[in-house]
Amino acid sequence: MKVLIVEDNISLSKNISEYLKLKWIKSDISRDWVSWLDSIMNNHYDVIILDINLPWKSWLDICKEVRENGNNTPIIMLTSRSTTEDKILWLNIWADDYLWKPFDLEELVSRLEALYRRTATNKMNIVNIADLEIDFTKRSVKKWIESLELSTLEFDLLKYLLQNRGKPIDRKTLFENVWGDFEEHMLSRSVDVYISSLRKKIWNDLIETKKWFWYLIN
């Protein structure tokens, strides 16, 4: 995932960026109108974090320009305003989510990931990677023209890694999002078994291992 932080508060934007880096999330920071416009025009972002109180341009104008240029990147607002009217305005126009200041950085990450997954799921019906074709609607996988038989858990595991492509995922996260429970499986080696099975069925180098406990598809 790659995030654009549109925030003029140097300390806050730096703290957000550094925390995202710890979570394997890439980010760029825009603190003025020129850098924001350049970032939007020349880069692809999965989510935009937008401060509602910018000194150089109103959040409404920013959102309007983003959408009028055909950019549908999800936008999460950072705000100290919490009236019902404000919330309705943001969500009914161009924003996808919002957080009140001060906020917990872990909650910000959770909301970013939720927006990213929702957008990725909506975009991805068929994914082609190397010699594989993965159809999420039909829940089918082909290697060249040959159909591969994957179990329900194998397919769900492959799908989750693809939805989070480029981001290392730890075992706990996989248990929670694919198996549905961490406590029940925390001492199990089910993740390793299913990863090994997927590698044999597709190709060994697709799913990488990072630091023994993290898995990702680049």
Side-chain angles (χ1 to χ4, degrees):
M1 187 191 333
K2 188 174 182 181
V3 174
L4 175 63
I5 304 167
V6 187
E7 169 64 69
D8 66 309
N9 185 311
I10 296 175
S11 178
L12 178 58
S13 59
K14 185 177 179 180
N15 286 343
I16 293 173
S17 181
E18 289 179 350
Y19 191 80
L20 295 183
K21 186 176 181 180
L22 292 175
K23 298 294 182 176
W24 302 89
I25 299 174
K26 299 176 182 178
S27 65
D28 291 333
I29 298 173
S30 291
R31 299 192 182 102
D32 57 64
W33 169 243
V34 175
S35 65
W36 172 82
L37 185 60
D38 180 69
S39 295
I40 288 293
M41 295 296 292
N42 296 297
N43 296 279
H44 166 76
Y45 296 100
D46 297 298
V47 185
I48 297 171
I49 300 172
L50 175 62
D51 184 359
I52 201 169
N53 294 313
L54 295 170
W56 36 270
K57 200 173 184 69
S58 78
W59 68 271
L60 195 59
D61 287 339
I62 290 177
C63 289
K64 184 178 180 181
E65 290 194 31
V66 169
R67 298 302 184 231
E68 287 182 347
N69 279 285
N71 189 320
N72 294 314
T73 303
I75 297 173
I76 182 167
M77 314 291 293
L78 302 182
T79 177
S80 55
R81 291 155 48 182
S82 59
T83 67
T84 300
E85 291 78 11
D86 285 329
K87 298 174 191 174
I88 293 173
L89 177 62
W90 304 328
L91 298 179
N92 280 353
I93 302 181
W94 291 290
D96 298 270
D97 201 355
Y98 57 87
L99 266 179
W100 299 333
K101 295 179 179 179
F103 53 86
D104 183 81
L105 287 171
E106 187 62 35
E107 181 179 1
L108 174 61
V109 169
S110 295
R111 289 173 181 259
L112 289 173
E113 291 179 337
L115 283 174
Y116 177 69
R117 285 196 301 270
R118 187 178 74 195
T119 306
T121 300
N122 291 338
K123 286 181 178 179
M124 291 195 304
N125 291 318
I126 297 178
V127 172
N128 292 285
I129 178 169
D131 56 358
L132 297 176
E133 179 183 281
I134 301 99
D135 189 320
F136 290 109
T137 302
K138 296 180 180 178
R139 293 180 63 85
S140 64
V141 180
K142 291 182 180 180
K143 186 174 183 179
W144 295 112
I145 59 172
E146 180 185 354
S147 295
L148 301 181
E149 293 296 328
L150 300 187
S151 69
T152 298
L153 268 173
E154 285 174 339
F155 187 87
D156 289 343
L157 179 58
L158 178 62
K159 179 180 178 180
Y160 188 79
L161 290 171
L162 283 169
Q163 287 175 336
N164 292 275
R165 191 171 176 180
K167 176 184 175 182
I169 307 294
D170 61 22
R171 288 191 177 96
K172 180 177 184 295
T173 302
L174 289 174
F175 277 134
E176 290 174 344
N177 290 277
V178 179
W179 275 257
D181 188 283
F182 172 64
E183 299 297 332
E184 182 180 345
H185 299 280
M186 61 186 297
L187 299 179
S188 166
R189 295 194 61 81
S190 296
V191 168
D192 308 285
V193 171
Y194 277 89
I195 290 289
S196 177
S197 177
L198 271 176
R199 283 171 171 160
K200 290 177 182 177
K201 291 182 178 181
I202 46 183
W203 40 282
N204 283 335
D205 296 333
L206 178 65
I207 303 174
E208 300 179 28
T209 301
K210 296 291 184 182
K211 299 181 181 179
W212 302 103
F213 299 105
W214 306 71
Y215 299 99
L216 83 155
I217 294 177
N218 271 314

